[in-house]
């Protein structure tokens, strides 16, 4: 069975500062990893995904994430955040046995302050 | 192109009442999903339909039933609502049941059971 842990439920940060949102997963087979963003009162939107190949994945809105197999991590980073990045961010995992069934972490609320 | 639409947006039920949440997609996707979102728990899969004519249980199916009415529509029914079913419900769709296919989410239905 797979699981996802997002270590921080809330991350406050000042505008233009860098940010890292942490995600660790467990799975017994090769994994596929995703980051989704949810703006207030909206559905989820895919930020980026790792399926195979390069471990550094670039997504929309200047976000990137690095797949680290030895650490079983997939942390999300942005070098300089904007007020508009205030949202909830979800890490999710799937694997070849799960088809397209995603297991989500509990979410991290990013709060960007002016 | 509306993407994934859900009705209603909000609903309040009394314990024991029944209701059906509607979901439709106009992207000609084969696979559809129902999730519930609870604070600190991320999204959990209730049921999914890999293709028209098939449905399967997800992580938390108890108390719910689904119908894949046609390729476009996938409904979720609560036969006898309980306070534990108070949640935000999201419908999603993807081209197929593979992690290579992005899931697109609707705006959600906020359900309160008193």
């Amino acid at each position: 069975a797979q699981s996802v842990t997002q270590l921080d439920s809330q991350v406050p940060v000042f505008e233009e500062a860098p940010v890292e949102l942490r995600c660790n997963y467990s799975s017994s087979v090769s994994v596929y990893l995703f980051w989704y963003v949810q703006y207030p009162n909206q559905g989820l939107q895919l930020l980026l995904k790792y399926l195979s190949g390069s471990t550094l994945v670039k997504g929309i809105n200047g976000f990137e994430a690095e797949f680290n197999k030895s650490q079983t991590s997939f942390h999300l980073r942005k070098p300089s955040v904007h007020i508009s990045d205030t949202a909830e961010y979800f890490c999710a995992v799937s694997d070849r046995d799960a088809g397209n069934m995603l297991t989500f972490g509990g979410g991290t609320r990013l709060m960007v302050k002016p | 192109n509306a993407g994934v639409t859900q009705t209603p947006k909000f609903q309040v039920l009394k314990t024991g009442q029944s209701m059906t949440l509607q979901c439709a997609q106009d992207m000609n996707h084969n696979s559809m999903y129902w999730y519930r979102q609870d604070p600190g728990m991320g999204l959990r899969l209730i049921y999914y339909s890999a293709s028209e004519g098939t449905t399967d249980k997800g992580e938390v199916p108890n108390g719910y039933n689904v119908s894949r009415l046609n390729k476009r529509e996938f409904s979720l029914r609560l036969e006898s609502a309980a306070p534990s079913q108070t949640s935000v419900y999201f419908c999603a769709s993807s081209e197929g049941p593979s992690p290579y296919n992005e899931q697109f989410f609707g705006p959600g239905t906020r359900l309160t059971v008193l």
Side-chain angles (χ1 to χ4, degrees), chain B residues 8-29:
Chain B
K9 286 187 167 50
F10 301 94
Q11 184 71 47
V12 178
L13 293 178
K14 294 181 180 177
T15 297
Q17 287 185 317
S18 63
M19 79 161 295
T20 300
L21 280 64
Q22 306 286 355
C23 173
Q25 51 90 9
D26 62 2
M27 296 175 281
N28 200 34
H29 284 170

Side-chain angles (χ1 to χ4, degrees), chain B residues 37-59:
Chain B
Q37 181 181 27
D38 302 293
M41 301 187 72
L43 277 74
R44 292 179 292 167
L45 184 65
I46 305 171
Y47 271 93
Y48 67 101
S49 171
S51 60
E52 187 179 355
T54 69
T55 60
D56 286 286
K57 294 178 180 179
E59 183 184 351

